[in-house]
Amino acid sequence: MTGKNVIFVVSDSLRADAVLGEMAETPFLDDFICDNTVFTDAIATSSHTKDSFPGLFSSVLPSVQGRHHIS
């Protein structure tokens, strides 16, 4: 049995209109998207990057993890 690989491509503060459409210059990303599964309806677990990343891998909200971003 062969395993499946999972790759997270994550970018902080990247607007969709900067990489999608006729004016975008992202050939590698365009090819990557065409050959893989893309989830277009994702919701962040927090508005702060530092608190969102643990949720990517655990599917747990920061309040459950005991973490909250404090400036």
Side-chain angles (χ1 to χ4, degrees):
M1 179 175 162
T2 59
K4 296 212 176 214
N5 295 319
V6 176
I7 298 173
F8 280 91
V9 178
V10 180
S11 178
D12 188 19
S13 302
L14 179 64
R15 295 185 348 224
D17 64 341
V19 294
L20 301 173
E22 296 176 14
M23 301 300 292
E25 295 183 15
T26 55
F28 175 79
L29 187 58
D30 296 341
D31 290 343
F32 186 79
I33 288 170
C34 288
D35 296 334
N36 293 283
T37 302
V38 177
F39 297 93
T40 58
D41 191 22
I43 299 172
T45 58
S46 175
S47 60
H48 297 281
T49 304
K50 182 168 94 174
D51 295 331
S52 283
F53 268 78
L56 282 172
F57 302 106
S58 67
S59 299
V60 177
L61 294 171
S63 58
V64 175
Q65 295 172 358
R67 291 188 47 136
H68 294 282
H69 181 79
I70 301 172
S71 341

